[in-house]
Structure formats: C-alpha cells, structure tokens
Amino acid sequence: MMSTTSFAVVEYPDIEKVVIFRQTLFCFFSSGTEEIPEDLTLSPATSHLLACQFVATDLTAQLCLRIVQWLEGLASKELDLENTVRGSHVGTYLPSSGIWHYTQRHLQKRSRNQDTIRHLDFDAPTRENALPLIDDRKQDECVLEDVWTLLRAGRLEEACDLCTSSGQSWRAASLCPFGGLDLIPSIEALQKNGRDRTLQAVELESGTGRQWHLWKWASYCASERIAAQEDGKYEAAVYAALCSNLKHMLPVCTDWESACWAMTKSWLDVQVDLELVRLRPGGLDQLKGFEDAIEWNPKQGGSASQMGSPDTWPLQILNQQPRAVSSLLQKLHSGELVHEAVARGCKEQHRQIQMNLMLGDVQRLLELLWSWISPSEDNQDIYRHHGEPQMIRFGAHLVLVLRHLFGDQVNDIFKETITNVGDLILQMYVMFLFSKQHEELVGIYASQLAHHRCIDLFVHMMELRLNASVHVKYKLFTSAMEHLPFSPDDDDSRGSIEEIMERVLSRSREAKLVKNDKSPDVLEQHRLQSLDKAMVIQWLCFSPPSGTDDEEAVSAKLLLLALMHSNILFREFALMSMWRIPRMPIGAHKLLSFLAEPVKQPPENLLSCEEHDVSDYLKEFKDWSEFYCCDATYRNWLNIELENSEVSPLDLSLEERQRAITTAEETISSSLSVLQRKENLWLLPTEDRIYENAEVPEPVFIELHATAILCLPSGECISPDATLCATLMSALCSSVTEEVISNRQLTVNVAVSSKDSNCIEVVLRCLATEGDGLGPHELGDGGILAAALAAGFKGELARFQARVTMDISRLDAWYSDSEGSIEGPGTYIVRGLCRRCCLPELILRCMQVSVSLVEMGKLPERHDELIELVACPETGFLHLFSLQQLQEFLLLKREYSIHVMGLKEGAP
C-alpha cells in the first residue's frame, strides 16, 4: 500500500481542527514503544528506571503516556503561538515579584495583625498559622497560575525558573526533587537524565521508591492544606498535579484538554506508584491491603485527617482515579468535579473522534464519521458529498492510516467495517475533491477503494466530465493512469483502466431517457445522444503520461480499444443517418476527429498487440472513414441543392451552378471509389473466430439485438405500445418462410424499451448453420437475421404499416448456446446488415445526384459505371437491394434517361 505521507493535502479555511486530528493520529498510531538502551540502565535500578520499564511493557500505561505527551504538546505549541503573536509569554514578571513586598512594608511600619505573618520566610505561614497580605497572595496566585500553565504544557523546567526568578526558589525545589531530574516515565526523560546517580544514591540509603513516595505524599499534604484555606486554588492545583490529587486539579481545568490531561496524568502516575509498591518486599500484600481499604471505605483519603503516611502511598488518592480508559472518558462526561465547559466539549465532533481513538474503538469511530457525512434519508445519492469538508478529509485519511497500520491483522467484523464503511468515506472524499476541480488527486484515493467501487466511481466521474474541456478530462485520465493498473491481470484486487474504459464505453451505448415525449423531438434527442456516445472515445485518445510502464504498449491498447468501440458506433451511426437531409451525422464526424491523430502511430505498434483482429479493426475503420467522407460530400451537395432550389434556375449565377456541378461530381466519384473496390470489398465480413469451423459438437445459435425508433416517412416518431410491438413481431416473422422459421428455430421478440418508452427493443434468434454463423460467410449480407431486420429498417415489412421504418440506435449480434448464454460477438451479422442498408443507399444517392446533373445539362462521366456495378453478378450489389429500392433505382434510371434524351434532342 502507498505510504501515507504521499497522500495529497488540500487546505481549507478551518484548519485548526484538522491539525488537532493529525496530532491525535500521530499520538495513537505512531511507531511502537522503544526499548530502553542498555547504556541508560543502572544497577541497582532506580525508581525512575523501573517506572520507565513498566511503561515500556504495559499497554495501558503506554497509552496514558502518549495521551499526556500529546496534550502537553498541544498546550506547548499554543504557548509558542501566543509568544509569537503577542510578543509575550506566561511567566514574564519582574525579578523577585514573588517576594511579599506589601507584607514587608506592612511589617516595617510595625503594624500588628494576628492574621498577618510576622516573618517573611516561606515557612512563616505554616509556623505562625497566618497569611501574607491579600495583595501579596494575589501576586502569588498570578505566579502560580502561570506555573500551572507551564506544568500543563509539560514545561517543568520553565516553571521552576519562573519560581526562582520570582524569588521563590523554595517552591522550585518542591517542584523538582532529586536535583531537578526529569521524572516522566519515558525513554526521552531517561536520555535527558543520562547516567545521573543522584536518585540512585538517595534510594540506596532509603530504599527504592520511598523518597519518591515521600515527595508525593508531601505534595499531597500541601495540596490538601492549601485547599482547606479556601484560597490559592492554583497553588493547590500545582501541588495536586505532583501527586495525582484530582479533586484539586479539576476545578482549574476549564477546557476538555486540560481535564483530560489532568485525569490521564494522574492515572499514569498512580499506575507507576502502584508498580513501585508491587516491586517492594511484601508489595503484593500491601496492594491487596489497598484494595480492601478502598472497598471498605470508597472515600478513603481526601481530608487532612486521612492523610496517612508515606508508607501507605498512593492509597490516599486511589479512589479518585479511573479504572480504565472508558471510565476516564465517563468522568469527563459527567464527573462531579468536571467543569460544565468540559462536559459540553465532550459532545463536539472532534472530541468524540479523539475519545474513540483513546478507547481504540476504531469500528465505532468509522461508523460515527460516516453518520456525520453520509447522505440524509431523503437524499441517498452516494456520489454527492455531504458534511463538513474537514470531517470528510479527516475521515478519508484516517481510513488510509488505519488500513496501512492494521493491514489484514484484524478480525472479520472490524475488517468488514474498515472495508465497507472505509470505502464509503473514501468515496465521499473523492467526490469532494472532484467537485472542487481537483481531478488530479482523485486517483490517489479512488485507487484504495474496493475493485467494484473504484470502477463505478471512475465511470461516474468520467460521465460527469464527458463534455468538460480537454485539460480537465486529461487531468482525470492521468490521475487514473498513474494510480491504477492498466489491466486486471496486473492487479485484480483493484479496478483497472481497461475495466473502467470498457464500462464507460458500454454505458455510453445504453438508452438515455428522452426529456420529452413529443414525437418530432425524439429523433433529434437520439441524434444528440450520438454525440455523447462519440465523446466517450476521447478518453481513449489521450496519450499515457510520461513515465508509464510500457508506454507504447499501453498507448497501442488504448487505440485498439478505441478502434473496436468506434467501429461499433460507426455501424449504429450509419443506420441512424440514412435520411437524405443536409444535417451531418455529428457523432460519426466527432469520432473521426478524435481518431485522426492516434491512428497515425506506426502500424507495427498496433500489430504488436496480442489481439488477433487488429488488422481487421483497422480495415473496418478505414472503410467507415471512406463511407462518411462520401456521406459528407453528398450532404454538402444536398445543402447546395436546397439553397439553389430557393432561387429560380434562370437566376442562378454561373458560379453557383458550377459549385453544384463540382460537388455532385465529387459525390459520384467518392462513392464509386467505395463501390468499385475489387480487393478488400467495403465492410466485407470475415468469419468470426469463435466458430471458424462448421464442425461443432453442440447446437450454436446466433442473436441480433436492436434498439430502434419507429418513424413515419415524414420523420415523425410513433410511440410504441404492446399492440404495435405484437404487430411488428408478427411482421418480422413473416419476412422469412415457414420452412426457415422451423429449420432455423427462429424466434422474434419485440417490446417497449424499459429505459426509453419511445424506443422498442428487438431480439431475433435462430440456429446457426454453415455459411450463416458457422464457417466463412461468403455472401456478406449478414444472413437471415440481418435480412429480417433490414426489411424493418427499410420499411418494407409486408404485414406492417407501410413505409414505417426502424431508426436503429443500438445494434449488437452474438453467438449463444442452447441455454441462451452469450459466447461471443457475431460481427459478421452487423457488418452484413450495414452492407444491406448502406451500399444500396449509396448507389441510390449517386443516381439522385446523376439525375440532378443531367437536369443542369451536365452528363455524368461515370454514370454507366454505376449501372454496371449494380447489374454485375460478381459485385453482389443487386442481392442487397430490397424490392422498393430496386423500384426507386429503376425510376431514377428512367428519369435520368428521359433527361439525357431531352439533352440530345436539344443539342444542335
């Protein structure tokens, strides 16, 4: 899997919470615990070394340490930011500001007050049971508030420096015992302390952990006594922080992070204290005694009368501590001493994320994230992003990090959540990036989706960007190429470029819902849809980005796929554009423009592909290029004719007449170049390789599927119904003999399309025989199925409405087995159908142009060649004509002959 550091980052205005999310992830999903270096170990071990070894092996203690370090890091960065912005920092006081100046001046005046201390040493308040003046106490509280702030940020040294600079060195000594050693149970603290033997020397005399517990017990006593005076809450909190006395820490914690830090740090320290007790001689019995004491008196500790002794530490504060992470979080929600702002903070989304991470309940976290960003019940569009962008973004990156960390080492339930819910979150983020025009980034995240979701998502995005600019489309194409395998053979676990393109191409041919039901508009809607079908091919005409593996082969495969699909579309577009009108078939010409450059690449690149029909695809593409060139020339001529028809022939200028004659001659010449081929006949079908040999063990069937619109001669469309479909079905069956129906097992089905009520879907199926489905197809007319459908296409069905034609918008032919399972494409059928429909029409257009020329007094030079082509049995053109087309041909020939006779009679 890709490294998480390579994932893209898109910045948004509210970045503060995103930063917190990043830091949360780093805290809980960073690398595992480090081993303690041998050069830092001491013998005998100190209480600090034992504490570090305990945390290194206990998962709960590790978690607490990481949470504490994370929260202290956030607070420290906040202090740095404040210093940068305001140019000041907590603890910025004049030297000796902690000396009781007001009390000193009061004593110098020899004023007497039994409530005011009479000496200025730091033991005076305790010894004399009195206090400094209120102004000095306020100054002390300000200093101690800053000391608390520094302790909260993990800056113990700065807190001590602050005490020293304010003239309270005794307080600094109480905060940092054992010569100022860093007592945090972490590898970093061990490395910072080095091999300092101060603590070891102390504990060699008193015993491991005893001085440590003595200091904590003394801090506990101090916090209780100070709190009992109902003054100096920050002083009480400072000493409470040293001994895990939560009830005096929480009152000053007015935000979620401070309260969480206080509880977690206290719990961590207590776990370490209990471990040190356990390691003492008789420690297990003492721990059992602690448990019994807590059960007998749940409120043990917490008052001056119940302070116990250092030997009983940490019994005094055990009842205040959580027993698990879940109980810690519950205290944050509803603890008696927790500030109301902390309880409110627990309901915030980013706090819920952090708390779920602390619990390690990733499954619940992913479900929670999805509930925040998922579509509402009223809008179930999974391809439209919902929720805050920061939350969507965080969720996506969290999913990637979790997958990277856990891999397959998860249980089935969690795996299902991280796969399914994770995919939904990733998909939402991809669509967000997509909506913000960051197409170049979508591949990074979409490539992490499940196989089917990746394909579906890219297909959806490509359809939405179908008519976008080339630059935008290429960004999306490049993003897919850079992060997805080209072929499913390369990596079947992810979606591939080939599968995406094939799905896009397939969906582009599906019938789209027509916007209105007015018959005159339906045909135009389908004509415009042909442009959308053609636009899809542009995806295949892009060059792979530089650096793509086997770039030439990939480029050749894309072009091959483009040729295959373009030929399918060319067939459909040709059958849609048989109307003799000036309007060009926009879809076909858009295809030709897209493929103009790609087909110029060296033929050997294409021929190097393993696909055996490459040369056949190229030949068919060239055939269609020539056909549409003829078609465009004819429509150009037709447009000129229509323009000239608006003017009297006597008023036409010589230039206009010459333009019409030149275009007409070009039309005939280009058409004859297609018709007069002696080798490589136009669109002559080759045998399909599935059944090249007529000897097959089981019956083979051939099928022809068509989606069409029924049109009147005027161009108006007929809305189909069940009765009309039944009539058409009967007419198609009647187009062949009863013997053919019986021997070939011909079946016909016609129904109104489920996707477009203006269309019908026709399915013809029959048994394949030698020469028609099996072996070579020598006639090149598509066989019995093409003949039946051609009759409907030309409006010549005997038992159907006269001159009602089938305007075909989709055409497919298949081989199938006796159970109807598709075996492969029956290309010879659709090519033969196109020959039946296109070649006679091409000839009739030439006859129409010839008549126009002779009307203008210009005898076509190659008219006789056209007549000979139709009459020659070797060309087989006559076999492709229907009865009505032959009648039209003869009528045009007759009209042509009459005009020729008139010209000869009028000649001098």
Side-chain angles (χ1 to χ4, degrees):
M1 182 179 291
M2 186 182 302
S3 171
T4 55
T5 57
S6 64
F7 295 133
V9 174
V10 183
E11 299 297 340
Y12 306 109
D14 187 9
I15 200 64
E16 180 180 355
K17 292 179 181 177
V18 177
V19 172
I20 294 175
F21 292 159
R22 285 181 182 170
Q23 293 165 337
T24 308
L25 286 175
F26 178 78
C27 168
F28 299 118
F29 297 106
S30 58
S31 59
T33 306
E34 301 177 32
E35 294 185 0
I36 297 176
E38 293 185 4
D39 60 338
L40 295 179
T41 59
L42 297 173
S43 180
T46 64
S47 54
H48 182 233
L49 178 59
L50 293 174
C52 294
Q53 291 173 340
F54 166 69
V55 172
T57 57
D58 188 89
L59 295 179
T60 302
Q62 286 179 32
L63 176 62
C64 291
L65 177 61
R66 289 188 177 188
I67 294 173
V68 169
Q69 290 175 333
W70 163 57
L71 292 171
E72 288 179 349
L74 291 179
S76 182
K77 289 181 180 179
E78 187 175 347
L79 290 182
D80 290 338
L81 179 63
E82 182 180 359
N83 186 37
T84 303
V85 174
R86 298 183 181 179
S88 61
H89 192 282
V90 294
T92 304
Y93 294 99
L94 293 174
S96 303
S97 58
I99 300 299
W100 300 321
H101 295 290
Y102 294 100
T103 304
Q104 182 179 1
R105 286 195 291 270
H106 174 77
L107 294 177
Q108 288 174 346
K109 294 177 182 178
R110 300 186 180 279
S111 301
R112 296 287 181 179
N113 187 337
Q114 61 179 1
D115 294 329
T116 304
I117 58 174
R118 297 186 296 278
H119 300 85
L120 296 178
D121 61 286
F122 65 89
D123 279 335
T126 304
R127 185 179 64 251
E128 298 174 4
N129 195 24
L131 296 172
L133 291 178
I134 185 66
D135 290 333
D136 286 329
R137 297 205 301 273
K138 287 181 179 179
Q139 184 67 47
D140 274 359
E141 189 69 0
C142 289
V143 173
L144 286 162
E145 181 178 359
D146 281 356
V147 170
W148 166 262
T149 301
L150 291 169
L151 290 178
R152 164 71 182 82
R155 298 185 176 187
L156 180 59
E157 288 186 8
E158 290 186 34
C160 293
D161 292 342
L162 173 60
C163 294
T164 302
S165 65
S166 61
Q168 297 182 354
S169 300
W170 57 271
R171 196 184 299 278
S174 67
L175 297 179
C176 296
F178 313 117
L181 290 177
D182 191 341
L183 298 179
I184 297 173
S186 66
I187 306 296
E188 294 81 0
L190 273 180
Q191 293 172 337
K192 179 181 176 182
N193 295 336
R195 299 183 63 85
D196 191 304
R197 295 184 179 272
T198 303
L199 181 58
Q200 186 184 42
V202 171
E203 293 184 338
L204 281 174
E205 180 179 350
S206 61
T208 303
R210 293 190 181 276
Q211 290 296 107
W212 181 308
H213 285 176
L214 175 61
W215 169 63
K216 290 203 171 189
W217 175 80
S219 299
Y220 173 74
C221 294
S223 66
E224 289 293 332
R225 289 184 182 277
I226 295 167
Q229 297 172 2
E230 298 183 355
D231 193 11
K233 63 177 182 178
Y234 280 103
E235 185 176 15
V238 165
Y239 287 102
L242 303 179
C243 62
S244 307
N245 194 358
L246 271 177
K247 70 177 183 178
H248 298 316
M249 295 168 68
L250 291 177
V252 299
C253 297
T254 57
D255 61 86
W256 184 91
E257 289 175 0
S258 295
C260 184
W261 171 82
M263 288 188 180
T264 309
K265 185 178 185 303
S266 296
W267 187 25
L268 172 63
D269 290 346
V270 168
Q271 291 178 75
V272 170
D273 290 339
L274 290 173
E275 176 64 12
L276 293 178
V277 171
R278 187 186 69 82
L279 294 174
R280 291 178 188 169
L284 292 176
D285 294 335
Q286 189 174 4
L287 288 179
K288 184 66 171 64
F290 288 170
E291 293 176 3
D292 295 339
I294 292 298
E295 290 177 3
W296 177 76
N297 183 11
K299 296 184 179 180
Q300 173 71 31
S303 68
S305 61
Q306 296 176 334
M307 291 181 184
S309 68
D311 293 335
T312 61
W313 187 262
L315 176 62
Q316 293 85 342
I317 42 85
L318 278 181
N319 67 303
Q320 303 179 31
Q321 310 307 317
R323 297 296 183 266
V325 178
S326 57
S327 63
L328 185 152
L329 298 180
Q330 184 59 42
K331 283 178 176 288
L332 286 175
H333 273 285
S334 54
E336 294 180 1
L337 299 175
V338 171
H339 195 278
E340 60 179 6
V342 177
R344 286 198 306 269
C346 291
K347 300 177 183 179
E348 297 177 3
Q349 288 183 343
H350 63 292
R351 299 302 181 201
Q352 293 184 51
I353 291 172
Q354 291 164 341
M355 289 188 289
N356 274 283
L357 287 174
M358 291 167 64
L359 284 170
D361 192 352
V362 178
Q363 182 176 347
R364 166 62 181 157
L365 173 58
L366 292 179
E367 292 171 350
L368 191 64
L369 284 170
W370 176 242
S371 69
W372 292 335
I373 65 176
S374 61
S376 62
E377 293 182 0
D378 299 333
N379 183 7
Q380 290 298 317
D381 184 4
I382 62 172
Y383 289 121
R384 183 175 181 181
H385 70 273
H386 301 76
E388 293 185 4
Q390 296 88 353
M391 196 60 66
I392 298 173
R393 176 187 175 204
F394 169 73
H397 288 86
L398 175 64
V399 169
L400 295 176
V401 170
L402 293 176
R403 289 181 178 180
H404 180 73
L405 289 173
F406 294 117
D408 296 329
Q409 300 175 359
V410 291
N411 59 48
D412 293 339
I413 298 176
F414 178 44
K415 186 174 183 179
E416 181 179 355
T417 301
I418 202 171
T419 300
N420 296 332
V421 179
D423 273 2
L424 292 174
I425 294 172
L426 282 174
Q427 182 171 277
M428 192 69 70
Y429 185 53
V430 170
M431 289 310 301
F432 172 76
L433 292 173
F434 183 77
S435 69
K436 299 300 180 183
Q437 288 76 49
H438 288 293
E439 291 86 359
E440 70 280 3
L441 301 179
V442 298
I444 301 174
Y445 302 91
S447 63
Q448 307 298 318
L449 295 173
H451 179 272
H452 67 284
R453 284 199 174 102
C454 177
I455 295 174
D456 292 344
L457 184 57
F458 261 108
V459 169
H460 179 69
M461 291 188 292
M462 286 181 167
E463 289 177 347
L464 291 179
R465 292 290 186 264
L466 184 63
N467 296 307
S469 66
V470 175
H471 172 68
V472 171
K473 294 176 75 172
Y474 187 67
K475 284 200 301 180
L476 184 58
F477 171 81
T478 302
S479 184
M481 289 292 298
E482 289 178 344
H483 299 98
L484 294 177
F486 183 79
S487 170
D489 297 335
D490 301 332
D491 183 358
D492 60 0
S493 65
R494 296 189 293 163
S496 65
I497 301 296
E498 281 187 347
E499 292 172 301
I500 292 170
M501 292 303 179
E502 288 172 359
R503 180 80 64 82
V504 170
L505 296 173
S506 175
R507 283 176 55 87
S508 70
R509 297 180 62 219
E510 294 177 0
K512 304 294 190 301
L513 183 64
V514 178
K515 295 181 181 179
N516 56 66
D517 294 325
K518 297 180 180 180
S519 297
D521 294 330
V522 174
L523 200 59
E524 178 62 16
Q525 288 283 352
H526 280 264
R527 177 177 173 272
L528 294 176
Q529 285 179 13
S530 70
L531 181 60
D532 289 340
K533 292 180 180 181
M535 290 296 294
V536 173
I537 297 297
Q538 189 176 27
W539 295 111
L540 302 170
C541 297
F542 289 129
S543 299
S546 58
T548 303
D549 294 339
D550 206 357
E551 186 174 339
E552 289 187 359
V554 169
S555 182
K557 288 179 181 178
L558 288 172
L559 177 56
L560 180 62
L561 191 59
L563 289 174
M564 291 169 57
H565 192 75
S566 295
N567 289 338
I568 293 172
L569 295 181
F570 280 137
R571 300 165 198 159
E572 296 174 351
F573 294 163
L575 297 178
M576 290 174 63
S577 58
M578 290 292 103
W579 297 86
R580 296 175 192 173
I581 53 178
R583 196 163 48 195
M584 294 285 183
I586 53 177
H589 288 281
K590 180 62 73 173
L591 275 180
L592 292 171
S593 67
F594 286 151
L595 291 167
E597 286 299 321
V599 295
K600 292 180 181 178
Q601 65 175 272
E604 54 269 18
N605 288 355
L606 277 178
L607 295 175
S608 64
C609 295
E610 297 178 359
E611 182 66 45
H612 53 260
D613 289 330
V614 173
S615 57
D616 195 37
Y617 297 146
L618 281 170
K619 177 185 176 302
E620 183 174 358
F621 172 76
K622 293 177 181 177
D623 288 348
W624 284 118
S625 297
E626 289 189 45
F627 172 81
Y628 284 108
C629 179
C630 298
D631 180 80
T633 308
Y634 167 76
R635 295 182 193 278
N636 187 27
W637 169 82
L638 199 60
N639 188 54
I640 294 172
E641 284 291 296
L642 290 176
E643 291 177 356
N644 291 346
S645 65
E646 298 176 359
V647 182
S648 170
L650 298 176
D651 295 334
L652 284 176
S653 66
L654 181 62
E655 181 181 349
E656 290 172 330
R657 287 174 57 85
Q658 187 58 42
R659 184 164 69 103
I661 292 172
T662 301
T663 307
E665 289 177 341
E666 289 176 357
T667 301
I668 295 174
S669 176
S670 61
S671 298
L672 286 174
S673 67
V674 173
L675 297 170
Q676 287 182 326
R677 288 183 182 179
K678 294 183 179 180
E679 296 180 358
N680 296 325
L681 298 181
W682 187 82
L683 220 62
L684 185 66
T686 58
E687 63 269 25
D688 294 306
R689 293 182 179 271
I690 299 176
Y691 297 109
E692 295 178 356
N693 193 335
E695 297 180 4
V696 291
E698 296 181 359
V700 177
F701 289 82
I702 50 177
E703 301 181 13
L704 184 58
H705 298 232
T707 302
I709 305 171
L710 297 175
C711 297
L712 295 170
S714 63
E716 184 180 358
C717 298
I718 302 174
S719 297
D721 54 23
T723 303
L724 191 64
C725 290
T727 305
L728 178 58
M729 185 163 56
S730 176
L732 287 170
C733 288
S734 301
S735 63
V736 296
T737 64
E738 291 291 337
E739 182 181 1
V740 170
I741 295 176
S742 176
N743 294 339
R744 301 286 299 275
Q745 302 179 34
L746 177 68
T747 59
V748 179
N749 183 52
V750 181
V752 178
S753 172
S754 59
K755 296 181 179 179
D756 187 349
S757 59
N758 295 299
C759 295
I760 58 170
E761 293 181 354
V762 181
V763 179
L764 296 93
R765 186 172 188 262
C766 72
L767 192 65
T769 61
E770 186 174 358
D772 187 6
L774 302 178
H777 186 71
E778 297 177 354
L779 293 177
D781 61 359
I784 189 68
L785 299 184
L789 194 62
F793 173 79
K794 297 176 181 181
E796 299 184 27
L797 291 172
R799 299 183 182 180
F800 196 62
Q801 298 181 33
R803 302 181 67 189
V804 171
T805 60
M806 295 168 56
D807 202 62
I808 297 174
S809 60
R810 176 164 182 167
L811 188 66
D812 293 291
W814 308 99
Y815 286 97
S816 63
D817 59 19
S818 56
E819 296 181 356
S821 299
I822 299 300
E823 298 287 342
T827 307
Y828 85 94
I829 300 175
V830 289
R831 287 184 179 178
L833 177 61
C834 290
R835 282 177 59 83
R836 280 183 178 271
C837 299
C838 296
L839 290 179
E841 178 63 21
L842 201 61
I843 293 170
L844 291 174
R845 289 177 178 181
C846 286
M847 292 296 295
Q848 180 188 8
V849 173
S850 296
V851 171
S852 176
L853 276 174
V854 79
E855 284 179 347
M856 298 177 68
K858 176 70 174 179
L859 285 173
E861 297 178 358
R862 306 180 64 181
H863 179 73
D864 292 340
E865 297 177 29
L866 184 64
I867 303 300
E868 290 175 2
L869 282 173
V870 176
C872 179
E874 294 180 359
T875 62
F877 289 156
L878 191 61
H879 171 68
L880 302 176
F881 278 76
S882 65
L883 180 60
Q884 289 184 10
Q885 285 178 325
L886 280 175
Q887 289 176 351
E888 183 182 1
F889 178 81
L890 294 174
L891 287 174
L892 288 170
K893 173 60 179 171
R894 178 177 177 275
E895 186 177 357
Y896 175 83
S897 299
I898 291 173
H899 284 299
V900 170
M901 291 171 59
L903 285 176
K904 290 180 179 179
E905 290 176 0

